[in-house]
Amino acid sequence: MSGDHGPHIIVPAALKVLSENEDLQVIFVGDEAVLNQELGHQPPKVIQRISITHATQRVEMDDPPSRALRNKRDSSMRIAINLVKEGKADACVSAGNTGALMATARYVLKTLPGIDRPAIITALPNMQGTSTHVLDLGANIDSTPEQLFQFAVMGSVLTQAVDNLPNPRIGLLNIGQEEIKGNERVKEAAKLISSSSNINYIGFVEGDDIYKGIVDVVVCDGFVGNVALKTTEGVAKMISHYVKQSFTKNWLTRLAAIVSLPILNNLRQKIDPRRYNGASLLGLRGIVIKSHGSADILSFSHAIKEALIEVQKNVPSQIKQQLGILLSERRRIE
Amino acid sequence: MSGDHGPHIIVPAALKVLSENEDLQVIFVGDEAVLNQELGHQPPKVIQRISITHATQRVEMDDPPSRALRNKRDSSMRIAINLVKEGKADACVSAGNTGALMATARYVLKTLPGIDRPAIITALPNMQGTSTHVLDLGANIDSTPEQLFQFAVMGSVLTQAVDNLPNPRIGLLNIGQEEIKGNERVKEAAKLISSSSNINYIGFVEGDDIYKGIVDVVVCDGFVGNVALKTTEGVAKMISHYVKQSFTKNWLTRLAAIVSLPILNNLRQKIDPRRYNGASLLGLRGIVIKSHGSADILSFSHAIKEALIEVQKNVPSQIKQQLGILLSERRRIE
């Protein structure tokens, strides 16, 4: 029910993914009347794979997480996460309020053993035409070295599963300034990560390395990761703004725009943020995917596909297993 | 002598600015023979405004700051900063090693009264066609609220001077996540900055706001600022890479590129990083400007112009004065 556009986007996006994946079943959680209207008439082979669970409340985009937790126990968000907890759903996908989603998911599902706090991870495009996963994107601030180590394990497992990479390259975000070369937390985290078997740690990386494709996972504190993500959005929007402005200046530039349109569209496809929609809330005892609030149908369908892959690969159980191995390995050494 | 290209770029850049500004005098510091060769024959009205101060050493791009400080006391960098200290130069402009430049400048010039540590500031383009100043970009990590307050004062004074803005809008970089809304240091800094008269504090901003043009100065810790700056470089390079790739795909796209070339050039000019070259080391008892190491002639000339403006407006003395007023105001309230 949430996000900027609600069921008007979410229902058609789910129908799109349903038509592409015959194994998929979707439970729509929200206002039954509204959902039924959006669903309209569907063929039997779709009908038998969808159901509706009614919810009387909705978490608003500006609800503080505390209000969502305490006063909205019958919200579509809470009920959807409850379904995951009860084993009635394999994953929850939401375009709603990030803070509320994180707080609710953490409260209902709890974190995996060995995980202090969940983290938010997403894929970003890079110059090699592949993608770079970055975490944490804002669920944690002032992360300890131990937490950064947990992010590295989670990022490595997710990237193995989602991108089918046997040995993803893990980088730790730092600054290159010779004088200081990063803070104590980052240096300490580097020791923990580099001494773990099964983590392909390649060392410190800088902000621009996210987009070079020289690492598969970039690990950082949530404050820093959030700034990097938002800065990226800002730069991309500014460039896109100036491209539009330059091509619509006068009739001559509009003519050039027509000639260049297929090229610009091709370019847009390569770095289309919609293709990268679907951030995972990692470290929970269940799969929760956060779509951008302003997602359109294509964009939201990517978030659902992300959930599908994580279910098929059973990401939470893999994280639990991998972390268990590394922690017992560390105890043996100590 | 330093930077990626040395005097081969720096000398012609200085000659360019000399020809545009009749008041400017330039002291070239470095290897006299090399500099004389680069200078070649110059007309008398240029000759009378240039001089050479010989230096036997050069700080390498990979020299640790400690080595530059201890073992390179006759480097072009050290001598240039000494000239500022001795009042023989009004400003020092360098394309050299940032860490070494910061350490040397701090050691030789010392910080202004009331300033704990210097900060690095630069202008970045925004959607409004103006520029946004961001500091600190990497000279400090784990900045205290008091230091963030000092950054706000310095950023405000510099932007008033350089952009001729009577009342620059100051934003404090934070993350928008409802659950946490930033760390304690940022919240504490917000209190200090918002209670200061003469600072036009507009509140928290996020990474994408740097490029919206809704603030004139963005204040942040150096770790975060450095990541934001490097991320920006990374995104811009990736987009530029894909633009080139798309337009050189086949003969049809190459044809479209010819038609679109003037438009793409116009676009590039608007967000040309060369126009924004010249970061200031603020908070010192003297003016030191850091150019990008890979700067070309146009780019380095912008760094020299930045120095010129800061000298004309006497930025260090204005920072000292402004900070003195605000600190005595705070003491009165306490």
Side-chain angles (χ1 to χ4, degrees):
Chain A
M1 297 305 292
S2 204
D4 299 351
H5 313 293
H8 193 58
I9 286 298
I10 291 169
V11 171
L15 291 172
K16 178 173 148 53
V17 189
L18 276 162
S19 74
E20 293 162 2
N21 297 272
E22 294 198 346
D23 286 342
L24 179 66
Q25 297 180 37
V26 173
I27 309 166
F28 294 97
V29 186
D31 186 312
E32 201 169 0
V34 175
L35 288 168
N36 266 322
Q37 202 184 344
E38 283 295 340
L39 278 163
H41 285 288
Q42 295 298 330
K45 65 170 188 174
V46 171
I47 294 281
Q48 64 195 18
R49 289 190 287 135
I50 58 177
S51 63
I52 292 177
T53 298
H54 185 62
T56 60
Q57 291 179 304
R58 182 175 69 184
V59 174
E60 302 299 330
M61 293 308 258
D62 56 356
D63 273 340
S66 54
R67 184 188 298 164
L69 265 178
R70 280 181 223 138
N71 308 334
K72 299 219 168 160
R73 292 181 201 182
D74 201 40
S75 66
S76 50
M77 183 187 280
R78 177 67 169 269
I79 292 176
I81 292 173
N82 284 343
L83 290 176
V84 175
K85 167 81 177 173
E86 295 157 8
K88 292 176 183 161
D90 292 312
C92 159
V93 185
S94 168
N97 179 325
T98 313
L101 187 68
M102 178 53 97
T104 307
R106 207 182 152 196
Y107 176 77
V108 172
L109 298 174
K110 313 294 181 214
T111 51
L112 289 165
I115 297 289
D116 295 342
R117 287 181 60 99
I120 304 177
I121 187 167
T122 198
L124 291 168
N126 65 43
M127 269 194 211
Q128 305 299 323
T130 61
S131 65
T132 311
H133 276 95
V134 183
L135 83 164
D136 173 41
L137 295 173
N140 304 278
I141 51 165
D142 298 329
S143 308
T144 63
E146 186 65 37
Q147 285 167 343
L148 292 169
F149 160 76
Q150 293 165 13
F151 296 170
V153 176
M154 297 196 286
S156 182
V157 169
L158 183 89
T159 308
Q160 276 176 49
V162 174
D163 290 348
N164 270 320
L165 290 175
N167 209 15
R169 297 159 298 174
I170 315 292
L172 192 55
L173 193 59
N174 201 348
I175 63 173
Q177 200 74 322
E178 291 292 330
E179 196 183 358
I180 26 186
K181 277 229 166 144
N183 57 31
E184 287 310 312
R185 290 189 298 276
V186 168
K187 287 179 198 164
E188 202 54 47
K191 282 184 206 161
L192 288 175
I193 300 169
S194 62
S195 62
S196 300
S197 71
N198 282 341
I199 297 190
N200 182 11
Y201 178 62
I202 66 129
F204 290 134
V205 294
E206 295 188 60
D208 50 337
D209 294 323
I210 298 173
Y211 298 97
K212 284 184 187 160
I214 57 167
V215 275
D216 303 303
V217 180
V218 172
V219 171
C220 57
D221 169 59
F223 193 101
V224 176
N226 191 276
V227 168
L229 184 70
K230 293 281 171 70
T231 300
T232 299
E233 283 177 22
V235 177
K237 270 186 193 159
M238 179 184 66
I239 294 178
S240 153
H241 163 82
Y242 281 125
V243 167
K244 263 182 217 150
Q245 201 186 64
S246 301
F247 275 104
T248 54
K249 212 172 171 188
N250 53 46
W251 67 268
L252 215 66
T253 62
R254 281 174 206 271
L255 214 63
I258 295 168
V259 180
S260 304
L261 210 62
I263 300 164
L264 293 173
N265 282 340
N266 176 279
L267 171 68
R268 184 177 294 178
Q269 247 177 26
K270 275 199 181 118
I271 44 179
D272 189 348
R274 296 181 302 171
R275 279 179 54 208
Y276 296 90
N277 188 40
S280 307
L281 275 49
L282 281 186
L284 297 163
R285 296 169 195 248
I287 295 166
V288 180
I289 306 293
K290 166 70 176 85
S291 156
H292 207 288
S294 65
D296 62 8
I297 295 174
L298 176 68
S299 189
F300 197 84
S301 74
H302 275 282
I304 300 174
K305 285 179 198 165
E306 175 77 29
L308 251 176
I309 297 173
E310 292 191 25
V311 170
Q312 283 158 353
K313 300 288 177 85
N314 203 346
V315 168
S317 128
Q318 281 198 52
I319 288 174
K320 184 182 158 186
Q321 195 191 343
Q322 186 68 259
L323 196 63
I325 294 170
L326 292 178
L327 289 179
S328 75
E329 195 183 86
R330 203 197 289 169
R331 273 192 295 272
R332 265 206 310 280
I333 294 166
E334 287 165 3
Chain B
M1 296 304 294
S2 202
D4 299 351
H5 313 293
H8 193 55
I9 286 296
I10 291 169
V11 170
L15 291 173
K16 178 173 146 52
V17 189
L18 277 162
S19 74
E20 294 161 3
N21 297 273
E22 295 199 343
D23 285 343
L24 178 66
Q25 298 180 38
V26 173
I27 309 166
F28 293 98
V29 185
D31 186 311
E32 200 168 0
V34 175
L35 288 167
N36 265 322
Q37 201 186 344
E38 282 296 339
L39 277 163
H41 284 287
Q42 295 297 331
K45 65 172 186 171
V46 171
I47 294 281
Q48 65 196 18
R49 288 190 287 135
I50 59 177
S51 62
I52 292 177
T53 299
H54 185 61
T56 60
Q57 291 179 304
R58 181 175 70 184
V59 174
E60 303 300 330
M61 291 310 255
D62 56 356
D63 273 340
S66 55
R67 184 188 297 163
L69 265 177
R70 279 180 225 141
N71 308 335
K72 300 217 165 160
R73 293 185 201 179
D74 201 39
S75 68
S76 50
M77 185 186 279
R78 178 67 169 267
I79 292 176
I81 293 174
N82 284 343
L83 291 177
V84 175
K85 167 81 177 171
E86 295 157 6
K88 290 176 185 163
D90 292 311
C92 159
V93 184
S94 168
N97 180 326
T98 312
L101 186 68
M102 178 54 97
T104 308
R106 209 182 150 196
Y107 176 77
V108 173
L109 297 175
K110 315 292 181 213
T111 50
L112 288 165
I115 297 290
D116 295 344
R117 286 181 61 97
I120 304 177
I121 187 168
T122 197
L124 292 166
N126 66 42
M127 271 195 209
Q128 305 300 322
T130 60
S131 65
T132 310
H133 276 95
V134 183
L135 82 162
D136 172 42
L137 295 174
N140 304 277
I141 51 166
D142 299 329
S143 308
T144 63
E146 186 66 36
Q147 284 167 344
L148 292 169
F149 159 78
Q150 292 164 13
F151 297 170
V153 176
M154 295 195 287
S156 183
V157 168
L158 184 88
T159 309
Q160 277 175 48
V162 173
D163 290 348
N164 270 319
L165 290 173
N167 209 15
R169 297 158 299 173
I170 315 291
L172 193 55
L173 193 60
N174 201 348
I175 64 174
Q177 200 77 321
E178 290 292 329
E179 196 183 358
I180 25 184
K181 278 230 165 143
N183 57 31
E184 287 309 312
R185 289 189 297 278
V186 168
K187 287 179 199 163
E188 202 54 48
K191 282 184 207 159
L192 287 176
I193 299 169
S194 62
S195 63
S196 299
S197 71
N198 280 343
I199 298 191
N200 181 11
Y201 178 62
I202 67 127
F204 291 134
V205 293
E206 295 189 59
D208 51 338
D209 294 322
I210 297 172
Y211 299 97
K212 284 184 188 161
I214 58 168
V215 275
D216 303 303
V217 180
V218 172
V219 171
C220 58
D221 169 60
F223 193 102
V224 176
N226 192 275
V227 168
L229 183 71
K230 292 280 170 70
T231 300
T232 299
E233 282 178 22
V235 178
K237 271 186 191 159
M238 178 184 67
I239 295 178
S240 153
H241 164 81
Y242 280 125
V243 168
K244 263 182 217 151
Q245 201 185 64
S246 302
F247 275 104
T248 53
K249 213 173 170 185
N250 53 46
W251 67 267
L252 214 65
T253 61
R254 281 175 206 271
L255 214 61
I258 295 168
V259 179
S260 304
L261 210 61
I263 301 163
L264 293 173
N265 282 340
N266 176 279
L267 170 68
R268 183 177 293 178
Q269 249 177 24
K270 276 200 179 117
I271 45 179
D272 189 348
R274 296 182 301 172
R275 278 181 53 210
Y276 296 91
N277 187 41
S280 306
L281 274 49
L282 280 187
L284 297 163
R285 296 170 195 248
I287 295 165
V288 179
I289 307 293
K290 166 71 174 86
S291 157
H292 208 288
S294 65
D296 63 6
I297 295 173
L298 177 67
S299 190
F300 197 84
S301 73
H302 275 281
I304 301 173
K305 284 179 200 164
E306 176 76 29
L308 250 177
I309 297 173
E310 292 191 25
V311 170
Q312 282 157 353
K313 299 289 177 84
N314 203 345
V315 168
S317 127
Q318 280 198 52
I319 289 174
K320 183 182 159 187
Q321 195 190 345
Q322 187 67 260
L323 196 63
I325 294 170
L326 291 177
L327 289 178
S328 73
E329 194 183 86
R330 203 198 288 167
R331 272 192 295 271
R332 265 206 309 280
I333 294 166
E334 287 164 3

